[in-house]
Amino acid sequence: MQNTDITIVGGGSAGLTMALLLARQQLRVVLVEKGAAPSLTAVPAQTGAAPEYQRVSALNMASRNLLQQLGIWPQLLAGAAAYTDMQVWEADSFGRIGFSAAEQQLEALGYICDNEHIRQLLYSQLQQYSNVQCYFDVAISQLKQGEREVMLQLDNNELILSQLLVGADGVNSFVRQHMQLPLTHWDYQHTAIVAKIRCTEAHQLTARQVFLTSGPLALLPLPEPDLCSIVWSAETAEASRLMALDDNAFNQALCAASQAVLGPVKLVSERQAFGLTMRYASSWQRGRVVLVADAAHSIHPLAGQGMNLGLMDVAALAQLIGEQHMAGDDLAATPMLRRYERWRKAEAQSMIVAMEAFKRGFTAKPALLKLLRGAGLVAADKLPWLKQQLMAHALGLKGDLPELVKKTG
Ligand SMILES: Cc1cc2nc3c(=O)[nH]c(=O)nc-3n(C[C@H](O)[C@H](O)[C@H](O)COP(=O)(O)OP(=O)(O)OC[C@H]3O[C@@H](n4cnc5c(N)ncnc54)[C@H](O)[C@@H]3O)c2cc1C
């Protein structure tokens, strides 16, 4: 039997970041992950090899600040693409808007990072803390909570008692289901196809997104000048058709959908498909159990904000836990967990609403709506104040930020 302060279920970006934030505050942490440990021998930042870019995320400035504070940013940046421009347009219309880092006096608008590289660097950083113990390749056989502690039993017979359990176990969270935390969800009726492509023309560190009537297609620049990651979200029947095409036919369909903005393109990876569902837990905490990141909410990837949102959850929760710890108070005190829930729910809700407005707005087909959309984009493109507001939201530097994220050095 092991006594610890906090147990974290899930070793994705959220769970590992949470572990690191708590470890730095001298708390005793146990992290439990059902999958394999991130490789420490093949960390691109250390071997000099490029990451695989099988799954990537566009991280914003707020996430960059957090990862900087955690000491992994320089290494992550070495394998990331810092994009300086963004172009968004609507197919078959005159609607178009562009953003540039130079216009905002910034070094970049965001960073395309490899998801596994993020995990590897976080896990590698965790190695220096003897107050963190990680269990990989294990399943949970029991989760029970009492008045003073939470008990987690693993299938390797390990028994872990802690003051607080954090569910960071992703969209199908076992913790959320086991605790019967109610979930609101709806199917976006979109499937996202993710792949890596080579383009004929250089991407020039520009992130591009074209809104087709069947859904958005994003072309995200990677560090090599002709390499991009795509996230092509389409109505599910259309996505199944695209997945069934052979590589040549898919390349042609992709080139046509992107309006050949980067010339003819060629797949250089397998295609992966992800069904997209909006999920929002209406309660994020019960007793000594609390949810973070995708376990609490998941959104459409069209604005690339899911991981950013999750990282801010863990920074906020770790800050409040730290305050309890300093004061010698219960690490699972209900007022503190409710404060966290109120704080982060507000951010998650506004993101869910924005994603829904974008998705509905851009897939609505009537001609008048199309005209208004086009006119709206062109008008927004010409209004510096409005563009600045839109940009500030995308950079993640608006709203009630956790203290650590406000630090830029
Ligand atoms: C197509 C697509 C594109 C995206 N692009 C972006 C983007 O550009 N920018 C962005 O910010 N976000 C993006 N996202 C969202 C982002 O990928 C997620 O928000 C983020 O990865 C969630 O991290 P997490 O740690 O909460 O969950 P996960 O990464 O899912 O990690 C959860 C972990 O918990 C483990 N686990 C699950 N169940 C158990 C259990 N019972 N016991 C133990 N462990 C368990 C899993 O094995 C996993 O390792 C995108 C999402 C999709 C689908």
Side-chain angles (χ1 to χ4, degrees):
M1 191 173 71
Q2 198 175 347
N3 264 298
T4 191
D5 295 319
I6 297 182
T7 304
I8 300 167
V9 178
S13 56
L16 289 167
T17 304
M18 187 79 206
L20 203 44
L21 286 165
L22 297 174
R24 286 158 41 106
Q25 305 185 50
Q26 277 81 49
L27 285 156
R28 294 170 304 152
V29 179
V30 170
L31 182 139
V32 173
E33 161 62 48
K34 70 174 180 185
S39 165
L40 288 178
T41 52
V43 186
Q46 282 145 23
T47 60
E52 299 269 316
Y53 306 113
Q54 295 294 352
R55 293 279 312 271
V56 300
S57 293
L59 294 188
N60 63 19
M61 293 300 160
S63 295
R64 182 206 61 177
N65 290 355
L66 176 64
L67 299 177
Q68 177 97 45
Q69 293 303 316
L70 293 178
I72 70 161
W73 185 251
Q75 287 170 289
L76 187 62
L77 183 60
Y83 59 95
T84 53
D85 291 270
M86 197 191 300
Q87 289 173 4
V88 180
W89 73 99
E90 188 180 18
D92 309 327
S93 118
F94 56 90
R96 166 174 293 274
I97 188 165
F99 299 92
S100 96
E103 229 171 53
Q104 316 280 332
Q105 281 100 46
L106 293 167
E107 58 168 39
L109 296 178
Y111 305 86
I112 310 296
C113 303
D114 179 82
N115 287 7
E116 193 53 24
H117 198 198
I118 298 174
R119 287 185 76 229
Q120 287 173 323
L121 291 172
L122 288 167
Y123 184 49
S124 166
Q125 198 76 334
L126 267 180
Q127 303 308 306
Q128 44 178 303
Y129 293 95
S130 56
N131 48 331
V132 179
Q133 170 142 28
C134 297
Y135 293 97
F136 289 96
D137 296 309
V138 286
I140 295 168
S141 42
Q142 263 200 79
L143 164 57
K144 278 193 186 153
Q145 62 169 328
E147 215 172 287
R148 304 175 69 85
E149 63 207 2
V150 196
M151 187 276 286
L152 193 70
Q153 182 156 30
L154 305 180
D155 64 353
N156 62 4
N157 283 328
E158 195 69 47
L159 196 63
I160 304 153
L161 297 180
S162 54
Q163 287 189 49
L164 175 69
L165 183 138
V166 179
D169 50 346
V171 288
N172 298 313
S173 171
F174 162 82
V175 174
R176 184 186 69 224
Q177 292 171 42
H178 185 81
M179 297 309 296
Q180 300 184 324
L181 292 167
L183 185 75
T184 302
H185 59 101
W186 62 77
D187 194 338
Y188 283 121
Q189 293 170 340
H190 270 181
T191 294
I193 302 173
V194 173
K196 207 165 54 171
I197 57 166
R198 286 238 176 246
C199 312
T200 313
E201 288 172 33
H203 53 57
Q204 295 179 316
L205 292 173
T206 301
R208 296 175 171 84
Q209 178 139 270
V210 50
F211 282 89
L212 306 156
T213 42
S214 63
L217 161 64
L219 302 160
L220 307 172
L222 294 173
E224 290 178 47
D226 62 345
L227 198 61
C228 283
S229 173
I230 62 157
V231 183
W232 190 352
S233 306
E235 285 157 6
T236 299
E238 172 62 359
S240 305
R241 186 187 73 79
L242 293 168
M243 286 298 285
L245 296 177
D246 66 31
D247 283 5
N248 275 339
F250 183 85
N251 291 338
Q252 282 169 21
L254 179 57
C255 180
S258 64
Q259 304 183 310
V261 66
L262 294 173
V265 295
K266 191 170 173 227
L267 276 170
V268 288
S269 75
E270 294 291 309
R271 285 164 261 172
Q272 300 176 70
F274 300 87
L276 302 177
T277 303
M278 191 298 296
R279 295 181 184 82
Y280 175 74
S282 42
S283 285
W284 292 15
Q285 48 85 29
R286 179 161 294 161
R288 296 184 167 274
V289 175
V290 63
L291 302 179
V292 294
D294 274 20
H297 47 74
S298 70
I299 55 171
H300 198 294
L302 70 85
Q305 289 296 341
M307 187 181 290
N308 292 307
L309 210 51
L311 292 177
M312 293 309 109
D313 288 352
V314 297
L317 182 58
Q319 177 181 320
L320 298 183
I321 292 173
E323 288 168 11
Q324 293 290 115
H325 183 47
M326 293 280 280
D329 290 337
D330 185 355
L331 301 178
T334 305
M336 181 274 285
L337 294 180
R338 291 223 170 109
R339 191 174 149 206
Y340 155 74
E341 185 184 30
R342 278 194 307 275
W343 181 2
R344 294 307 305 163
K345 263 185 167 180
E347 301 287 331
Q349 282 167 356
S350 50
M351 197 63 81
I352 288 166
V353 170
M355 289 314 99
E356 198 53 27
F358 260 113
K359 197 221 151 213
R360 281 176 199 245
F362 277 98
T363 48
K365 292 175 180 105
L368 180 62
L369 270 180
K370 215 171 160 71
L371 188 70
L372 287 174
R373 263 188 332 244
L377 280 178
V378 171
D381 198 33
K382 298 209 174 340
L383 292 172
W385 177 84
L386 183 57
K387 270 176 93 170
Q388 209 146 10
Q389 294 303 307
L390 288 171
M391 212 51 245
H393 277 287
L395 296 171
L397 297 176
K398 276 235 151 205
D400 192 2
L401 296 175
E403 288 305 319
L404 205 54
V405 175
K406 293 181 190 162
K407 299 184 184 160
T408 50

